[in-house]
Amino acid sequence: MSTYKKKLEQERGCDVVVPLCHLYEPQDERTCREFDFPVILSGHDHHVVDRMVDGTRLLKPGQDGIKAVILDLFWPNASSSSDPVIEYEIVTVADWPPNESLLKVAEESYKVLDPLRRTELAQVPSAYRPLTSVQARGQRVSMGTYLLSRIRDAMNMDMPLGERYVDCALLKGGNIRGGREYKDDEHINLEVLQTEIEEAKQILVIPVPGSVLRVGLRETFGAPNPGWMQYDDEVELDDDGYVVQIAKESLDLNRIYKVASIVDFWRKRDAPSIGQYFEDHPEVLPEPDSGRPVHALLLNFFAMQLWARIWKELGLNSGNESIEPEAFRALDADGDGVVSKDDLKNRLQQVSGFEHVFEGMDVLVDNMLSEIAKFGQQDNGLSQRLATLGGRHLEAFGLVGVHFTKAAELHFALEPRAGIPWREVRKPFRQLQSTGPVEVCHPCWIRMRKVQMAIDSSAPRFPGNETGKVRRWANSCGNSFNFFR
């Protein structure tokens, strides 16, 4: 910048140089301090900035073209050698009528988003209203609270009732990207999901001491910045910004909490205490590729949440009950004994009360059917028997769980990393295939780098597992692991 400023002023004879930047506010402040620009126009930050920094006016209109800066620079006369006079105004773009021809082009272009806008995934409870993601980099926003609460629930949904795989979910405000105020009748659809949180983000499980969490969130607060920490609805802070409760329980300073977040969680410049802890203990950091894609995680959760509503409306309120034929026929539109994809789309509105049913609901319906398919083999849809099995597991595990039908337990020994001791996880599983490779679903959604599976002496032997042991490197699909001899 120094080089080009000199060239423009000395070689090109420019009267004034105005930099147009795309930097965070602290970086723009440095530019103000180190140069003598009369004004700097910048972006990147999502909030509006209008400040004087060491004699330089710093202007940022914020995100999404909601605001605009109208700037005038002028001199008293043509021969004046003084700095220009600066006059500016920050205005709301919507106060001007749209250009009709451009409006038509925009509306036509946005029609491709109709399936996303009308594919409702989840209804937002009143507790999160008014629903907003405006200024997520400088204050707690209800959209951040809602999404993080659902991420926490999704990570825990395969655990038996009363058990947790993660204790809380935290995410820096720069990752809540929508910057929108939502109407009371707006809920979560595919467009909202795409707008608010980037699909590529991977949710990791990060071990963090309570003493670090207590101060770590507070350190991100203050001036708006991308590291401003958003948190779920079971995390409570005191009036000074210190964490006092996690998972509805008083904070234990000596406990290691399991935090659902992404790879920027331990970025030191945002939260020095969190960053320093992981500099001192790099061995506890999760593998960067061990996470679950956030959109897939939430879509699976919303699908199972919708199934839970359907089970309730079908009258399956107890794990010992079967779905009555009349209730099942409410889903089976063509009466062939199987709920197909088309059946589910046709009946989704009547059974669940969703307001928006559209051909674009394929994404949600596919997730619903694939989640239930984990309870048994069926390629062409959902049978009454499979629906009953799914409902019973919903009852037993809160949302969904998988267990062995022959009362066998699997022992998983996780490969140690960098001094972490071996540990054994005993959980119930369900054998999905009786011949060939064995497929199991891990209820903790753990992605293991190397797994040794040993079956109790009481476990049944089956072809390919006469010794009772199978071993394989785990794959990366997130919830299913295939084990071979």
Side-chain angles (χ1 to χ4, degrees):
M1 187 174 291
S2 177
T3 298
Y4 278 94
K5 183 176 186 295
K6 184 182 294 184
K7 282 185 176 182
L8 290 169
E9 291 176 340
Q10 297 181 5
E11 298 178 15
R12 301 290 182 88
C14 293
D15 295 302
V16 65
V17 176
V18 176
L20 183 63
C21 304
H22 191 81
L23 300 170
Y24 287 124
E25 195 171 352
Q27 298 166 306
D28 288 322
E29 291 173 354
R30 178 181 173 184
T31 306
C32 292
R33 289 191 297 268
E34 295 183 3
F35 295 88
D36 60 350
F37 297 117
V39 62
I40 293 175
L41 298 175
S42 191
H44 205 8
D45 284 305
H46 291 191
H47 58 284
V48 175
V49 176
D50 177 5
R51 298 171 52 207
M52 286 291 292
V53 181
D54 288 1
T56 296
R57 175 65 62 180
L58 175 60
L59 297 172
K60 302 162 80 85
Q63 68 173 5
D64 289 347
I66 298 171
K67 299 285 187 178
V69 173
I70 300 174
L71 176 67
D72 288 310
L73 301 177
F74 62 91
W75 286 260
N77 53 67
S79 61
S80 175
S81 60
S82 64
D83 290 334
V85 176
I86 298 172
E87 290 185 357
Y88 68 95
E89 185 180 6
I90 299 177
V91 299
T92 300
V93 173
D95 291 343
W96 275 260
N99 180 285
E100 291 300 326
S101 59
L102 287 178
L103 179 61
K104 289 180 180 178
V105 172
E107 289 175 344
E108 187 65 30
S109 299
Y110 271 90
K111 282 183 179 179
V112 299
L113 297 179
D114 282 348
L116 302 183
R117 289 171 171 167
R118 297 176 62 180
T119 302
E120 191 169 294
L121 301 175
Q123 295 183 334
V124 179
S126 59
Y128 301 96
R129 302 288 182 177
L131 187 63
T132 179
S133 57
V134 174
Q135 299 290 358
R137 299 178 179 210
Q139 63 183 7
R140 189 182 189 186
V141 295
S142 55
M143 177 60 81
T145 304
Y146 173 81
L147 288 175
L148 285 165
S149 301
R150 300 295 80 77
I151 288 170
R152 176 204 63 213
D153 293 344
M155 295 293 284
N156 289 327
M157 76 174 177
D158 296 296
M159 299 297 290
L161 287 173
E163 296 186 24
R164 287 176 177 264
Y165 184 47
V166 299
D167 299 298
C168 64
L170 308 173
L171 201 62
K172 294 180 177 179
N175 298 296
I176 307 297
R177 307 163 62 89
R180 290 177 55 182
E181 300 275 6
Y182 292 88
K183 299 176 182 178
D184 288 342
D185 61 350
E186 286 187 285
H187 295 278
I188 303 299
N189 57 35
L190 282 174
E191 183 203 16
V192 170
L193 195 60
Q194 294 279 3
T195 300
E196 291 292 353
I197 190 164
E198 189 178 346
E199 185 173 6
K201 301 300 183 186
Q202 302 269 331
I203 301 298
L204 304 164
V205 180
I206 308 165
V208 191
S211 58
V212 174
L213 287 174
R214 179 179 180 271
V215 300
L217 274 66
R218 185 178 188 271
E219 291 175 343
T220 69
F221 305 152
N225 71 93
W228 208 101
M229 197 76 76
Q230 302 288 329
Y231 46 96
D232 71 52
D233 60 10
E234 292 181 352
V235 176
E236 185 175 326
L237 278 57
D238 65 16
D239 293 340
D240 295 319
Y242 294 102
V243 175
V244 294
Q245 281 191 1
I246 289 180
K248 298 182 179 180
E249 296 180 353
S250 296
L251 184 73
D252 182 347
L253 297 180
N254 298 314
R255 175 180 167 182
I256 301 296
Y257 288 90
K258 293 172 290 184
V259 177
S261 192
I262 64 175
V263 292
D264 69 0
F265 176 78
W266 53 85
R267 191 168 58 205
K268 190 174 181 180
R269 71 170 183 263
D270 299 325
S273 295
I274 294 175
Q276 188 61 54
Y277 173 76
F278 287 105
E279 280 188 9
D280 296 339
H281 303 280
E283 72 279 0
V284 304
L285 284 171
E287 293 290 335
D289 62 349
S290 65
R292 295 195 64 198
V294 64
H295 281 200
L297 178 70
L298 287 172
L299 282 170
N300 289 345
F301 176 76
F302 292 145
M304 293 313 300
Q305 200 174 41
L306 185 52
W307 275 125
R309 294 171 61 184
I310 289 176
W311 296 157
K312 183 176 180 180
E313 296 186 33
L314 289 177
L316 186 67
N317 297 317
S318 168
N320 296 320
E321 295 179 3
S322 295
I323 294 179
E324 295 294 332
E326 294 79 7
F328 185 77
R329 280 195 290 271
L331 286 174
D332 182 16
D334 54 17
D336 64 354
V338 174
V339 176
S340 65
K341 183 175 177 178
D342 287 338
D343 289 335
L344 193 53
K345 287 167 63 177
N346 290 336
R347 295 296 181 180
L348 194 56
Q349 186 174 19
Q350 293 89 333
V351 173
S352 70
F354 267 34
E355 297 176 1
H356 303 296
V357 179
F358 193 69
E359 60 268 19
M361 291 201 77
D362 285 5
V363 173
L364 179 59
V365 172
D366 286 343
N367 272 272
M368 293 178 68
L369 291 174
S370 66
E371 286 298 307
I372 291 298
K374 294 174 183 177
F375 298 103
Q377 298 289 336
Q378 186 150 344
D379 296 330
N380 60 339
L382 173 67
S383 68
Q384 184 173 344
R385 173 183 169 276
L386 195 54
T388 299
L389 284 175
R392 288 174 178 172
H393 283 87
L394 286 172
E395 177 76 14
F397 283 81
L399 274 179
V400 60
V402 184
H403 61 79
F404 256 96
T405 57
K406 296 186 178 181
E409 276 193 327
L410 301 186
H411 296 242
F412 282 82
L414 308 190
E415 184 184 30
R417 289 178 49 244
I420 299 177
W422 282 74
R423 61 190 179 94
E424 187 178 67
V425 179
R426 297 172 63 93
K427 293 291 180 187
F429 288 80
R430 177 175 181 270
Q431 182 180 337
L432 300 180
Q433 290 183 338
S434 59
T435 59
V438 178
E439 293 187 15
V440 298
C441 291
H442 195 295
C444 292
W445 299 109
I446 292 176
R447 178 181 175 208
M448 292 164 278
R449 298 182 65 195
K450 185 179 181 182
V451 182
Q452 181 177 1
M453 180 172 70
I455 300 180
D456 281 348
S457 59
S458 60
R461 299 294 187 259
F462 47 86
N465 191 40
E466 290 80 4
T467 63
K469 293 184 179 181
V470 286
R471 177 183 291 184
R472 186 201 174 207
W473 291 94
N475 68 14
S476 60
C477 66
N479 65 319
S480 296
F481 300 90
N482 300 318
F483 297 90
F484 299 86
R485 285 174 291 173

